[in-house]
Amino acid sequence: MRYIKDSVVINPERDLPLLRQVRNSRFVTHKQLFEFMQFVGSDDRRNSFNWRTKRLLGAGHLSTCDGRFGTGSAIYRITKSGLALLEHHGEFTAILHSNTEHLPHTAQVFHSLELNAVHLALAQKQLLAGWLSEIEIASFNIISQSRYQKDYDAVVEVWMGDRKACFALEYERSLKSSKQYQRVRDALDAERQVECVLYLTAGIEILVHLVHEFESVNKKMAFAESREFSQSLLDTTVITTQHIRRIMFRDLLQ
């Protein structure tokens, strides 16, 4: 079979998982994206992966972010063309689609990359049983009656021996207003889909503030610094709102 010169023929088993991951991450570095593709078994050869991303960039399905973010790596986001291609293959989300007026803003880059780091750390230690991204959660919340009360940064399932445990994940890089936190407290008190919420923070000052903001919430609440969690994962010592005590995260999930 002959193809039109410079046309791009989509491989559903390799191209679609890559585009879907970029969409769900909002932003992802070249290195992180390769690690995601290794994890899902889509592309474990670096030369093949490099060729694939270059080809999707050239076709306009992906774009790189302008600016210096200190990652030493290209940072990708999906384009409207890439979203349309996913939709053509049945990969639609109600929150980010080809008719969305504004694509993810680069102000979200560092937030996205840190969540990617947590996602990959769990996957590489073979602890990850499932990961719903904020885009998937927000889309689910629009179309489902059994919705989550909040568009969490992720809803995560992890393996604990031969059983699974589930928690909602939030990553906080800066503080919100008192009114915003009141709305979050109300949502968490009304939440019935998840029993445990883990807040990861960019620093100890934010962590201490959050512990006090959420001490009245009637739910398992855990707080830790993001970089520490990426290293220790389920063995991270977290702070809880239950008498402001410290406990290993895996014990809280039991």
Side-chain angles (χ1 to χ4, degrees), residues 19-156:
L19 291 170
R20 182 170 58 244
Q21 185 61 58
V22 178
R23 180 198 65 191
N24 291 348
S25 289
R26 294 185 189 269
F27 297 94
V28 59
T29 69
H30 185 83
K31 181 176 182 295
Q32 287 176 336
L33 187 55
F34 178 54
E35 291 172 353
F36 276 125
M37 294 304 98
Q38 286 181 303
F39 174 64
V40 300
S42 173
D43 211 336
D44 59 2
R45 293 179 300 167
R46 187 172 292 275
N47 287 343
S48 171
F49 169 77
N50 290 344
W51 170 82
R52 191 169 304 284
T53 53
K54 183 178 180 180
R55 175 171 151 273
L56 291 171
L57 280 165
H61 300 317
L62 295 177
S63 67
T64 54
C65 298
D66 295 330
R68 299 180 183 275
F69 298 97
T71 63
S73 173
I75 297 174
Y76 302 124
R77 62 181 162 189
I78 200 162
T79 63
K80 290 189 176 184
S81 172
L83 290 168
L85 182 59
L86 284 172
E87 291 158 13
H88 175 69
H89 288 271
E91 300 272 357
F92 177 83
T93 66
I95 200 72
L96 181 61
H97 49 81
S98 56
N99 290 322
T100 301
E101 186 175 354
H102 299 293
L103 295 178
H105 193 277
T106 52
Q108 299 173 305
V109 165
F110 292 116
H111 186 271
S112 297
L113 300 190
E114 192 64 26
L115 286 169
N116 293 342
V118 173
H119 188 165
L120 286 166
L122 288 167
Q124 289 162 354
K125 292 296 184 180
Q126 298 182 330
L127 293 170
L128 189 67
W131 180 286
L132 275 179
S133 68
E134 181 189 6
I135 285 173
E136 293 169 302
I137 295 165
S139 182
F140 174 81
N141 282 344
I142 288 174
I143 64 176
S144 174
Q145 293 183 342
S146 58
R147 64 191 302 276
Y148 296 99
Q149 294 298 312
K150 186 180 186 304
D151 294 342
Y152 300 105
D153 286 331
V155 171
V156 187

Side-chain angles (χ1 to χ4, degrees), residues 77 159 161 183 187 235 254:
R77 62 181 162 189
W159 288 107
R183 288 195 291 270
D235 293 328
Q254 294 286 356

Side-chain angles (χ1 to χ4, degrees), residues 146-208:
S146 58
R147 64 191 302 276
Y148 296 99
Q149 294 298 312
K150 186 180 186 304
D151 294 342
Y152 300 105
D153 286 331
V155 171
V156 187
E157 279 190 313
V158 291
W159 288 107
M160 298 183 63
D162 59 356
R163 74 175 188 87
K164 297 177 184 179
C166 180
F167 62 94
L169 175 64
E170 292 280 75
Y171 173 53
E172 205 87 340
R173 294 187 65 246
S174 59
L175 293 175
K176 300 180 174 67
S177 69
S178 296
K179 288 184 178 180
Q180 287 174 305
Y181 282 124
Q182 182 59 59
R183 288 195 291 270
V184 176
R185 286 193 294 270
D186 292 342
L188 294 179
D189 279 330
E191 181 60 73
R192 298 295 179 267
Q193 299 296 323
V194 290
E195 296 181 357
C196 180
V197 180
L198 172 63
Y199 263 89
L200 300 180
T201 71
I204 189 66
E205 294 84 358
I206 298 174
L207 187 153
V208 171

